[in-house]
Amino acid sequence: MCDCIFCKIVAGNIPSMKVYEDEETIAFMDIAKDVDGHIVVIPKKHCKNVLDCELDTLYAVMKTVKNVSLHLTEKCGYDGVNLLNASDESAGQSVPHFHIHIIPRQQNDEIDAWPKFNGARNDIGCTFEKIRM
């Protein structure tokens, strides 16, 4: 068994408040107590992040993200959602198991879920030439 906290949730060794579960994914309440309704969606199959996640696993996670997000907006009184992901430690990933945070939103909820950036350092054209596929 994998020694990560999310794998332990999948195995049932750590309790969680499951919002949704299917054969490939679990959605559960985040225990951070930072935003009402904060949910984490993970694949049951361990992968570190989106960079090493197989496409079928990624699809399953995103399908669950959409289903849970629709439930929040159609049945629970929320207007929209923020989806948050950090892939790799350099991006701020703290749990090395691929996951997507769903932050339910309501008009004028005063939640600022968008990161503050200091501004680009390089010319956009130079960056474009570097990263285009």
Side-chain angles (χ1 to χ4, degrees):
M1 181 184 99
C2 183
D3 192 38
C4 86
I5 191 166
F6 289 170
C7 286
K8 290 177 182 177
I9 289 172
V10 170
N13 298 332
I14 295 177
S16 65
M17 291 178 272
K18 292 179 189 172
V19 174
Y20 175 84
E21 181 175 11
D22 61 26
E23 289 184 17
E24 299 174 276
T25 65
I26 298 176
F28 54 89
M29 299 298 295
D30 190 297
I31 61 170
K33 298 180 186 174
D34 52 2
V35 175
D36 290 334
H38 183 170
I39 296 168
V40 177
V41 177
I42 65 169
K44 289 182 177 180
K45 179 179 179 182
H46 183 84
C47 56
K48 181 179 179 186
N49 56 46
V50 73
L51 303 172
D52 73 344
C53 188
E54 294 176 7
L55 287 178
D56 59 334
T57 303
L58 182 60
Y59 172 76
V61 168
M62 292 312 295
K63 182 178 174 185
T64 296
V65 166
K66 180 172 182 171
N67 287 339
V68 172
S69 297
L70 285 171
H71 174 73
L72 291 168
T73 57
E74 293 176 356
K75 307 281 189 202
C76 301
Y78 293 101
D79 301 314
V81 298
N82 284 111
L83 304 179
L84 306 174
N85 169 262
S87 286
D88 203 53
E89 293 83 6
S90 63
Q93 183 177 8
S94 59
V95 177
H97 186 120
F98 176 57
H99 58 285
I100 304 283
H101 295 265
I102 303 175
I103 310 297
R105 301 299 304 272
Q106 292 177 310
Q107 289 288 4
N108 303 313
D109 60 15
E110 299 183 7
I111 296 170
D112 186 5
W114 200 256
K116 301 278 188 247
F117 298 108
N118 294 329
R121 296 181 189 160
N122 300 302
D123 175 74
I124 192 171
C126 293
T127 301
F128 169 71
E129 290 300 323
K130 176 181 175 182
I131 65 173
R132 76 177 170 172
M133 298 170 73

